[in-house]
Amino acid sequence: MTDSHRPAWLPLAGLASLAVLLLAIGIVVGSVWRPFASDDAGATSPKSLSVTDIGFAQDMSMHHDQAILMARTVLAAPDVDPAIRGLADQILLAQSAENGTMRGWLQLFGIPQTSETPMAWMSQGGAHAHDGATPGSPRDAPMPGLASADEMGRLSTLRGDEAETLFLQLMIRHHRAGIEMARAAYNDPRSGQATKQLALSMIGDQGNELGQMTMALRERGTEPLPE
């Protein structure tokens, strides 16, 4: 086809394709850059990390690891109620995303992903003191709310209503401790704004999930684990 017979819309189509390509590049660059940029509401990631920021990111990401494992375990169990599967999936997605944020901060500043002294940040400054265990938490747990190896092993062997009940009991205890940790980080004067924002989000999300799980456990005629 000669230039004289070329449809008039072809140059416009080429420009449109170029515009779409540039827009796509901009979206990709923006998505990579955004976690380390600031917005009108304040910094979305810390410019520096305090001892509380570091301890909270290290300990809460480890705490989240077990919640993620619990969720995956009950999702793999046979004959589990779809409502419980939905809740487990919600926890899995939310806490995986939060782990990505916290571990991203640690990696950005070249800080180890785990602490040699879990919960030390909560026994200093304005945070509440902890000895590594709380009532209702196994005494050998490095931080409050974690299930023991025996409890996790038992969960992996159950199915149906039994799996649902133990999952709810373990996750309720786990969430209560997680909310306590998030509140300590939020109230600690050493916490940066990014940590406070993330902690506040966790308090709200896990508080809502805690209410749902408590109601579901009551419907099964079972009480939460002792605290």
Side-chain angles (χ1 to χ4, degrees), residues 54-91:
I54 294 170
F56 176 72
Q58 290 173 329
D59 290 346
M60 188 60 88
S61 58
M62 178 184 286
H63 207 259
H64 276 20
D65 282 343
Q66 192 183 76
I68 292 167
L69 178 58
M70 282 186 202
R72 285 177 173 162
T73 301
V74 81
L75 285 169
D79 305 322
V80 171
D81 189 304
I84 301 301
R85 289 185 180 279
L87 181 60
D89 194 50
Q90 175 181 318
I91 292 170

Side-chain angles (χ1 to χ4, degrees), residues 166-179:
L166 184 57
F167 169 74
L168 291 169
Q169 289 177 318
L170 295 178
M171 194 64 83
I172 285 171
R173 185 178 67 192
H174 196 278
H175 266 33
R176 285 175 175 168
I179 290 171

Side-chain angles (χ1 to χ4, degrees), residues 95-176:
Q95 300 212 5
S96 294
E98 290 166 354
N99 265 7
T101 295
M102 292 184 289
R103 287 185 166 140
W105 293 345
L106 295 171
Q107 184 176 9
L108 177 65
F109 289 96
I111 296 167
Q113 298 288 312
T114 58
S115 172
E116 295 182 359
T117 54
M119 307 306 295
W121 62 276
M122 283 186 69
S123 63
Q124 303 170 1
H128 297 71
H130 275 279
D131 63 359
T134 59
S137 177
R139 293 302 303 176
D140 61 347
M143 60 189 64
L146 292 187
S148 67
D150 287 344
E151 289 170 329
M152 291 298 298
R154 182 172 170 238
L155 179 62
S156 68
T157 67
L158 300 178
R159 62 186 298 160
D161 185 67
E162 289 184 331
E164 296 164 15
T165 298
L166 184 57
F167 169 74
L168 291 169
Q169 289 177 318
L170 295 178
M171 194 64 83
I172 285 171
R173 185 178 67 192
H174 196 278
H175 266 33
R176 285 175 175 168

Side-chain angles (χ1 to χ4, degrees), residues 83 87 90 168 205 207-217:
L87 181 60
Q90 175 181 318
L168 291 169
D205 291 346
N208 290 335
E209 292 164 356
L210 186 57
Q212 295 176 49
M213 292 188 293
T214 301
M215 184 177 299
L217 195 60

Side-chain angles (χ1 to χ4, degrees), residues 189-213:
R190 300 167 301 175
S191 296
Q193 186 61 31
T195 292
K196 288 184 182 295
Q197 288 176 348
L198 183 59
L200 189 61
S201 176
M202 289 179 186
I203 292 167
D205 291 346
Q206 293 192 36
N208 290 335
E209 292 164 356
L210 186 57
Q212 295 176 49
M213 292 188 293

